[in-house]
């Protein structure tokens, strides 16, 4: 029996959430070990598992992988979610990097001082409406297919849905000017593995709260 991938991270979204999404979309079961103490983190570091002293860390195929981008591209390739050739992979990378930029902006807000949060969120929503969502609306319009790259489901589609749902948590009506993205969201959300991941009780994590922020600060000491 092949061992399930094991994910080492905090009990929250952060940089691990896109990895959870990708595994779930591929229909792959995974285990999680949540970091709750500085001692857990130091043990991983002392055992030589944290290449640059950072998490996420994923144990898979006899390897201990770090660096979010490297983990995601390995999983996308392993589970055939990375296009059919180099040109498609380049486009998937472009789209995935764009959505990751947007999601990390949102994730970082939880760690801002209270007086900066409102301004920060307003700035993120403005960028989503003017910089990010129009790009993907145009891609879908020009491409004329159900998916972003080729006509096959890929990592880019998974991560775009993840980003859309995160932005909708800030503004539920944000897709009102983007009909193709609205249809895309419905279409991808109804794919069986993703539909399952979106159900209550799955390994999908909630938005960061004050407890999550405190644990991360205590463990990483910042």
């Amino acid at each position: 029996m092949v061992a399930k991938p094991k994910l080492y991270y905090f009990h929250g979204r952060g940089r691990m959430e896109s990895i959870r999404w990708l595994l779930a979309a591929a229909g792959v079961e995974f285990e999680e070990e949540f970091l709750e103490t500085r001692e857990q983190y130091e043990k991983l570091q002392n055992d030589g598992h944290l290449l640059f002293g950072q998490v996420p860390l994923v144990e898979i195929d006899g390897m201990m992988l770090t660096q979010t981008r490297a983990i995601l591209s390995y999983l996308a390739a392993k589970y055939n979610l990375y296009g059919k050739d180099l040109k498609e992979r380049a486009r998937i990378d472009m789209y995935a990097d764009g959505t990751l930029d947007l999601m990390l902006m949102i994730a970082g807000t939880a760690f801002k001082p209270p007086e900066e949060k409102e301004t920060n969120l307003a700035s993120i929503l403005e960028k989503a409406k003017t910089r990010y969502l129009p790009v993907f609306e145009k891609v879908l319009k020009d491409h004329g297919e159900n998916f972003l790259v080729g006509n096959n489901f890929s990592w880019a589609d998974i991560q775009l849905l993840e980003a859309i749902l995160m932005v909708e948590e800030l503004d539920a009506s944000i897709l009102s000017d983007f009909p193709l993205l609205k249809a895309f969201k419905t279409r991808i959300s109804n794919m069986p593995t993703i539909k399952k991941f979106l159900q209550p009780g799955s390994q999908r994590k909630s938005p960061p709260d004050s407890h999550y922020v405190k644990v991360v600060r205590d463990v990483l000491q910042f």
Side-chain angles (χ1 to χ4, degrees), residues 9-11 34-41 215 218-219:
Y9 200 69
F10 305 99
H11 198 303
F34 299 118
L35 300 184
E36 295 170 343
T37 66
R38 178 72 182 178
E39 289 71 31
Q40 282 175 288
Y41 170 78
V215 170
D218 289 348
V219 171

Side-chain angles (χ1 to χ4, degrees), residues 14 21 35 43 70 92 104 114 123 141 161 165 177 189 217-218:
W21 266 88
L35 300 184
K43 184 177 188 312
I92 289 169
L104 289 177
S123 172
K141 182 178 180 182
L161 175 62
L165 295 178
D177 294 329
S189 295
R217 287 192 187 281
D218 289 348

Side-chain angles (χ1 to χ4, degrees), residues 13-14 140 170 186 192 198:
R13 289 180 181 175
L140 290 169
L170 307 179
T186 301
L198 292 174

Side-chain angles (χ1 to χ4, degrees), residues 48-66:
H49 296 322
L50 303 182
L51 197 61
F52 299 105
Q54 298 170 316
V55 287
L57 170 68
V58 174
E59 185 175 356
I60 186 171
D61 295 341
M63 299 182 291
M64 301 294 273
L65 297 179
T66 60

Side-chain angles (χ1 to χ4, degrees), residues 30-90:
F30 57 89
E31 298 175 350
E32 298 191 82
E33 181 172 315
F34 299 118
L35 300 184
E36 295 170 343
T37 66
R38 178 72 182 178
E39 289 71 31
Q40 282 175 288
Y41 170 78
E42 287 176 344
K43 184 177 188 312
L44 289 174
Q45 203 160 14
N46 292 337
D47 289 346
H49 296 322
L50 303 182
L51 197 61
F52 299 105
Q54 298 170 316
V55 287
L57 170 68
V58 174
E59 185 175 356
I60 186 171
D61 295 341
M63 299 182 291
M64 301 294 273
L65 297 179
T66 60
Q67 299 301 108
T68 310
R69 189 68 176 66
I71 296 166
L72 286 165
S73 57
Y74 178 79
L75 295 175
K78 179 178 173 69
Y79 298 114
N80 299 313
L81 294 164
Y82 210 0
K84 69 178 187 295
D85 56 33
L86 276 174
K87 287 185 178 180
E88 286 197 355
R89 287 190 174 199

Side-chain angles (χ1 to χ4, degrees), residues 88 91 95 137-152:
E88 286 197 355
R91 288 167 63 208
Y95 300 154
E137 183 79 4
K138 186 175 187 303
V139 168
L140 290 169
K141 182 178 180 182
D142 293 349
H143 188 39
E145 301 285 2
N146 288 334
F147 305 108
L148 289 173
V149 178
N151 194 26
N152 291 303

Side-chain angles (χ1 to χ4, degrees), residues 182-195:
K182 191 180 287 189
F184 172 89
K185 173 195 161 188
T186 301
R187 190 164 58 245
I188 305 300
S189 295
N190 280 309
M191 296 184 71
T193 54
I194 291 183
K195 192 171 185 177

